[in-house]
């Protein structure tokens, strides 16, 4: 099986040409987005992804993790790979310089994360969770906690986890039952958390759990949840490791995919209570989690993109080698590689064009987060925050749902060999399947997009983005017939979204269940359109470059052909989705619950 090769040319194209849309000319705001730096970072990350992480992807899937006593052993090669990863400084890419991080933008960090996810999703989850935990401490904890924990987490010496879920509290965290009782300067934590990714493992000397729990007398529901740092080993004031804390991994899950990523059930306080330290103030735990939710959800959206890219590379290699039949319209009887068959080309182009559309959208969104965080202009910050909030559920929901479809297509390209585990294609589908579930299911993303991100502000953020998309549709060259067609499809998508927005604003006053019934279709409508918007922009840029005789002409011709395919084969979905939403949402609600 060929190892993963990072698609550096497309990554650089997006970073150098497509970001900066919306709120400001952000490219100039960040010193790190120089072509030289991007080039160096992507090249080195690409090497590590190909040479170190990718070769362990299949063996990790086959071997999985092993629980002995309360110790989880990761699969063969994992510890050495993690040590190499940390020594090369990749854990600290986007960490704050104050705590030893390199402080690179989310844009550059996202392209690097895409590589880790493509090469080995089960491995990539460890740095991803650590990054999430680090962000929560950095943004909300007091100075003492930051100074004690962040330098070692940023360096990768200690890893981090997120402990939200309990058996009775999944999408709805109001049911959290884990308790935190104050005791001097710390709290005693008791309860059970499930599905904790990298909740126990042998890669780092300490594991820092971020745990949601309720203090005595806390308000009911989500307004009474607090957030705690609960280390596996207590940490002395000088940063050295102390006693083992009162928490243990009681089991690890047997899963459909990401076998090499340990998913732990953790019991807190069997011997009187694990020691935990409050982050920020009591009862604000969930709001703290929400401030870092965008980044975490975006990170999972990147997983959908990354698995599409990986599945595409594998399918393409196979299609270039497998000889079977003669394409319609040819003769000679020698047989042809299956890439010659029109239907295989269709499948490969669906995978390729979706990977490129998702990459453009995910990177544009990452850049908007950077703008919201770093711009000094309050108006720009407000605009970028609104745009980032709006795009986040689309990146998470659309990229992950699409990732599953594309990994499935990858199997189809292989025929029977795709269904056989040795090929590797099946693993990408199994691994992709979790991405629409954790960090908020697609249903939760869609509900967020409809209610908080669209209806709550009267559609301001949605209309704002739509105007920008419309301007791109109007700007596309009418001289080139392919660009003209791309523009027509994009303009139609804008019309479709407007129809849906009008419908939503109207029906929400009659029956709020109607927008809810339409929510996942609405999310897809935006996903397909945003992908089309950025592919259209890319096609126009490439057309301009070709006319000016600049850049790589093969890359540009390929981009225009791919964008044209996306416009003709993917964009027409917008009209169908709009029709389903406006005419069909009522039928979701017709059947009485007892009659199912
Ligand atoms: C491999 C794996 C790793 C995980 N890692 C972590 C981790 O590291 N930390 C952690 O805390 N958790 C983790 N989770 C838990 C994960 O985040 C939850 O499984 C997820 O939030 C869904 O919760 P649930 O499983 O209870 O499903 P439920 O909430 O019971 O949902 C079931 C179905 O109902 C739908 N639904 C529920 N509520 C609504 C609503 N309001 N509107 C529309 N539809 C709704 C959902 O979309 C879904 O289709 C992990 C899970 C797995 C499987």
């Amino acid at each position: 099986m060929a190892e993963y090769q990072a698609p550096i040319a497309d990554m650089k194209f997006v970073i150098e040409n497509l970001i900066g849309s919306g709120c400001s000319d952000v490219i100039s705001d960040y010193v790190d987005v120089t072509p030289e730096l991007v080039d160096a970072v992507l090249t080195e990350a690409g090497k590590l992804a190909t040479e170190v992480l990718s070769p362990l992807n299949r063996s990790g899937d086959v071997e999985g993790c092993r629980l002995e006593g309360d110790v989880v052993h990761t699969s063969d090669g994992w510890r050495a790979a993690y040590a190499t990863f940390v020594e090369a400084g990749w854990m600290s890419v986007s960490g704050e310089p104050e705590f030893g991080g390199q402080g690179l933008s989310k844009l550059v960090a996202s392209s690097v994360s895409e590589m880790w996810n493509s090469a080995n999703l089960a491995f990539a989850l460890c740095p991803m969770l650590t990054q999430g935990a680090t962000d929560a401490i950095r943004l909300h904890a007091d100075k003492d906690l930051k100074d004690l924990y962040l330098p070692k987490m940023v360096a990768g010496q200690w890893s981090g986890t997120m402990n939200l879920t309990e058996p009775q509290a999944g999408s709805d965290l109001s049911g959290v039952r884990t308790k935190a009782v104050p005791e001097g300067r710390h709290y005693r934590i008791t309860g059970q958390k499930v599905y904790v990714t990298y909740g126990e493992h042998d890669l780092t000397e300490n594991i820092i759990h971020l745990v949601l729990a309720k203090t005595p007398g806390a308000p009911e529901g989500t307004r009474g949840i607090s957030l705690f740092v609960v280390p596996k080993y207590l940490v002395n004031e000088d940063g050295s490791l102390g006693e083992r804390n009162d928490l243990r991994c009681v089991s690890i899950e047997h899963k459909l995919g990401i076998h090499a990523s340990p998913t732990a059930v953790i019991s807190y306080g069997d011997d009187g209570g694990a020691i935990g330290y409050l982050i920020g103030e009591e009862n604000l735990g969930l709001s703290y989690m929400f401030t870092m939710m965008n980044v975490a959800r975006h990170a999972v959206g990147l997983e959908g993109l990354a698995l599409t890219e990986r599945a595409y590379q594998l399918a393409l290699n196979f299609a270039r080698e497998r000889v079977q039949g003669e394409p319609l319209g040819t003769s000679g009887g020698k047989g042809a590689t299956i890439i010659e068959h029109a239907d295989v080309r269709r499948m490969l182009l669906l995978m390729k064009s979706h990977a490129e559309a998702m990459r453009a959208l995910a990177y544009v969104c990452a850049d908007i987060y950077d703008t919201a965080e770093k711009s000094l202009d309050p108006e720009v910050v407000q605009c970028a925050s609104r745009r980032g909030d709006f795009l986040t559920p689309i990146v998470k929901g659309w990229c992950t749902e699409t990732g599953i479809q594309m990994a499935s297509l990858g199997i189809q390209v292989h025929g029977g060999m795709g269904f056989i585990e040795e090929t590797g294609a099946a693993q990408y589908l199994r691994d992709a399947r979790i991405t629409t579930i954790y960090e908020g299911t697609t249903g939760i993303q869609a509900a967020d997009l409809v209610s908080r991100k669209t209806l709550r502000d009267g559609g301001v953020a949605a209309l704002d983005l739509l105007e920008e998309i419309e301007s791109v549709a109007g700007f596309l060259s009418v001289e080139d017939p392919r660009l003209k067609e791309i523009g027509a499809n994009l303009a139609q998508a804008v019309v479709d979204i407007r129809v849906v927005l009008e419908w939503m604003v109207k029906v929400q006053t009659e029956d709020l269940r109607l927008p809810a019934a339409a929510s996942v279709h609405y999310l897809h409508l935006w996903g397909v359109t945003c992908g089309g918007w950025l592919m259209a922009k890319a096609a126009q840029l490439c057309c301009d470059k070709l006319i000016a005789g600049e850049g790589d002409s093969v890359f540009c011709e390929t981009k225009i052909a791919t964008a044209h395919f996306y416009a003709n084969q993917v964009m027409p979905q917008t009209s169908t989705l709009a029709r389903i939403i406006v005419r069909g949402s009522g039928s979701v609600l017709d059947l009485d619950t007892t009659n199912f």
Side-chain angles (χ1 to χ4, degrees):
M1 191 192 310
E3 300 300 349
Y4 162 73
Q5 303 297 327
I8 290 177
D10 197 52
M11 291 173 159
K12 276 170 54 179
F13 175 81
V14 175
I15 292 172
E16 287 166 12
N17 297 285
L18 296 184
I19 61 157
S21 54
C23 303
S24 73
D25 178 15
V26 293
I27 299 173
S28 57
D29 286 353
Y30 312 118
V31 282
D32 72 349
V33 188
T34 61
E36 295 74 26
L37 184 105
V38 170
D39 215 41
V41 171
L42 297 190
T43 305
E44 286 311 308
K47 273 190 211 155
L48 189 108
T50 305
E51 293 166 12
V52 179
L53 303 185
S54 176
L56 294 175
N57 193 42
R58 170 116 180 92
S59 60
D61 180 54
V62 173
E63 192 186 334
C65 307
R66 206 173 73 252
L67 177 67
E68 276 174 16
D70 59 1
V71 177
V72 171
H73 301 275
T74 49
S75 52
D76 211 21
W78 232 243
R79 283 166 61 86
Y82 186 80
T84 306
F85 188 83
V86 166
E87 270 162 32
W90 292 112
M91 269 307 293
S92 59
V93 166
S94 60
E96 286 294 304
E98 190 188 346
F99 301 106
Q102 298 169 47
L104 290 187
S105 64
K106 290 194 172 55
L107 173 63
V108 176
S110 294
S111 53
V112 170
S113 294
E114 183 198 323
M115 294 186 196
W116 312 147
N117 287 321
S118 281
N120 192 330
L121 177 61
F123 180 93
L125 283 166
C126 184
M128 194 270 259
L129 266 295
T130 304
Q131 179 67 51
T134 307
D135 281 348
I137 296 174
R138 178 175 63 84
L139 292 170
H140 303 294
D142 62 29
K143 186 173 180 316
D144 288 352
L145 279 182
K146 285 187 203 176
D147 289 346
L148 202 55
Y149 288 90
L150 288 185
K152 288 190 173 149
M153 293 175 78
V154 169
Q157 212 173 326
W158 300 347
S159 68
T161 72
M162 307 301 284
N163 290 233
L164 285 68
T165 311
E166 298 178 13
Q168 76 294 341
S171 300
D172 178 7
L173 291 166
S174 62
V176 161
R177 288 190 195 142
T178 297
K179 287 195 168 52
V181 178
E183 185 186 79
R185 293 178 62 199
H186 57 246
Y187 289 68
R188 288 278 176 183
I189 314 285
T190 49
Q192 193 183 69
K193 292 288 180 179
V194 296
Y195 300 141
V196 185
T197 299
Y198 278 90
E200 174 56 38
H201 59 81
D202 57 2
L203 302 179
T204 56
E205 61 192 37
N206 204 1
I207 302 174
I208 311 306
H209 300 286
L210 260 58
V211 180
L212 286 183
K214 290 198 159 181
T215 52
E220 287 296 306
T222 51
R223 284 182 302 121
I225 297 177
S226 305
L227 183 62
F228 298 88
V229 169
V230 190
K232 175 177 166 183
Y233 288 97
L234 296 171
V235 181
N236 299 319
E237 277 179 13
D238 64 358
S240 61
L241 294 187
E243 282 173 30
R244 179 78 200 247
N245 206 353
D246 181 14
L247 62 98
R248 67 196 174 91
C249 169
V250 289
S251 63
I252 54 172
E253 306 294 353
H254 301 280
K255 311 190 292 288
L256 178 68
I258 51 167
H259 290 158
S261 155
T263 307
V265 176
I266 301 187
S267 181
Y268 288 90
D270 291 350
D271 283 323
I275 291 180
Y277 305 91
L278 181 69
I279 292 187
E281 291 176 37
E282 280 189 14
N283 303 326
L284 293 183
L286 212 59
S287 67
Y288 297 153
M289 297 303 287
F290 265 105
T291 60
M292 41 166 289
M293 206 72 101
N294 276 355
V295 175
R297 291 183 167 175
H298 178 268
V300 178
L302 283 174
E303 294 174 7
L305 149 66
L307 288 170
T308 301
E309 173 66 38
R310 184 78 197 258
Y312 169 65
Q313 291 188 11
L314 195 72
L316 179 62
N317 285 342
F318 184 85
R320 286 196 197 286
E321 285 170 10
R322 171 76 172 161
V323 175
Q324 200 67 195
E326 296 273 338
L328 278 178
T330 59
S331 59
K334 287 190 188 138
T337 50
I338 60 170
I339 198 169
E340 303 295 334
H341 293 296
D343 188 54
V344 174
R345 297 170 66 85
R346 176 191 63 82
M347 291 190 279
L348 290 171
L349 272 165
L350 274 173
M351 297 175 82
K352 177 175 165 56
S353 63
H354 273 105
E356 291 178 18
M358 287 191 269
R359 179 171 300 117
L361 179 60
Y363 289 15
V364 161
C365 187
D367 179 61
I368 285 168
Y369 297 152
D370 283 324
T371 310
E373 194 178 322
K374 294 184 187 166
S375 175
L376 300 176
D377 179 341
E379 270 180 37
V380 171
V381 170
Q382 195 191 21
C383 166
S385 303
R386 196 170 57 216
R387 175 69 59 89
D389 285 348
F390 187 78
L391 285 179
T392 300
I394 302 171
V395 170
K396 182 357 174 137
W398 181 63
C399 292
T400 57
E401 290 284 343
T402 307
I404 293 172
Q405 286 173 27
M406 296 305 129
S408 180
L409 265 186
I411 293 180
Q412 195 68 18
V413 170
H414 284 79
M417 282 304 288
F419 200 66
I420 307 301
E421 286 286 356
E422 278 80 352
T423 330
Q427 184 191 345
Y428 305 142
L429 179 60
R430 289 188 288 97
D431 285 355
R433 196 61 196 83
I434 184 59
T435 59
T436 59
I437 296 172
Y438 57 23
E439 209 52 66
T441 62
T442 306
I444 296 297
Q445 305 305 320
D448 180 45
L449 183 65
V450 166
S451 59
R452 284 205 205 93
K453 310 294 167 63
T454 302
L455 293 176
R456 190 182 281 178
D457 75 354
V460 171
L463 288 168
D464 226 32
L465 179 55
L466 209 55
E467 265 174 33
E468 196 174 329
I469 295 174
E470 196 168 25
S471 74
V472 170
F475 176 74
L476 290 176
S477 161
V478 288
E479 308 290 312
D480 184 314
R482 294 170 303 177
L483 288 180
K484 196 175 163 192
E485 230 172 333
I486 293 170
N489 278 292
L490 193 58
Q492 181 58 47
V494 171
V495 171
D496 293 330
I497 292 184
R498 280 199 203 287
V499 168
V500 167
L501 281 173
E502 274 170 29
W503 173 85
M504 244 179 216
V505 169
K506 181 168 160 281
V507 300
Q508 64 158 334
T509 53
E510 297 160 15
D511 185 350
L512 253 185
R513 294 177 311 157
L514 284 168
S519 62
V520 169
H521 293 310
Y522 178 67
L523 184 147
H524 278 287
L525 176 60
W526 270 109
V528 168
T529 303
C530 287
W533 158 49
L534 294 167
M535 289 299 275
K537 234 176 137 176
Q540 181 65 60
L541 273 159
C542 277
C543 194
D544 295 345
K545 280 179 194 280
L546 284 172
I547 290 168
E550 289 170 3
D552 177 342
S553 61
V554 175
F555 179 92
C556 282
E557 282 295 355
T558 308
K559 182 64 89 180
I560 294 168
T562 310
H564 187 226
F565 171 89
Y566 185 94
N568 280 335
Q569 293 267 332
V570 182
M571 289 299 282
Q573 287 177 40
T574 60
S575 298
T576 310
L577 287 165
R579 194 171 152 195
I580 294 172
I581 291 170
V582 172
R583 297 207 200 154
S585 295
S587 55
V588 173
L589 306 166
D590 283 348
L591 191 62
D592 193 285
T593 304
T594 52
N595 293 338
F596 269 89

